[in-house]
Amino acid sequence: MDRQDEIRDFIRPAAMAGAALALSLAIYLALVEVLRRVEEPFRGFVGDIDARPLRYAAYGTAAVVILLLLLLRPRLIRRRPADDTP
């Protein structure tokens, strides 16, 4: 196995994840555009309900996810010394 094949094996999962992200973003964009055209004028899914508690919950959840990523990133990316040798 030459070096190009070895690199390709490591890059393939990242490329697949990137393609999946791009595809899901395109599907989301199409869905939003369809909903905007069908439900014009769009007043929202909730209506006149106060959504502040839901918004604060989403902000809190996002903050927790960011903190978890910052704390767990060194453990997730940690390599053994043998992985760095050619």
Side-chain angles (χ1 to χ4, degrees):
M1 178 184 268
D2 72 335
R3 189 78 171 144
Q4 289 289 344
D5 291 334
E6 194 173 316
I7 291 172
R8 194 172 295 123
D9 288 342
F10 281 110
I11 292 177
R12 184 171 289 131
M16 290 173 62
L21 265 167
L23 181 64
S24 65
L25 187 63
I27 291 171
Y28 177 74
L29 177 66
L31 181 65
V32 166
E33 288 302 317
V34 167
L35 285 175
R36 276 181 53 188
R37 302 232 189 267
V38 169
E39 298 292 331
E40 210 168 324
F42 185 66
R43 304 251 188 256
F45 291 114
V46 182
D48 293 334
I49 297 173
D50 184 24
R52 264 185 267 161
L54 182 61
R55 185 180 307 145
Y56 293 146
Y59 290 156
T61 304
V64 168
V65 168
I66 290 171
L67 288 173
L68 283 174
L69 286 174
L70 289 174
L71 292 173
L72 295 177
R73 182 176 42 175
R75 291 183 183 153
L76 294 174
I77 300 178
R78 184 181 305 155
R79 293 183 178 181
R80 296 176 307 195
D83 291 342
D84 290 334
T85 59

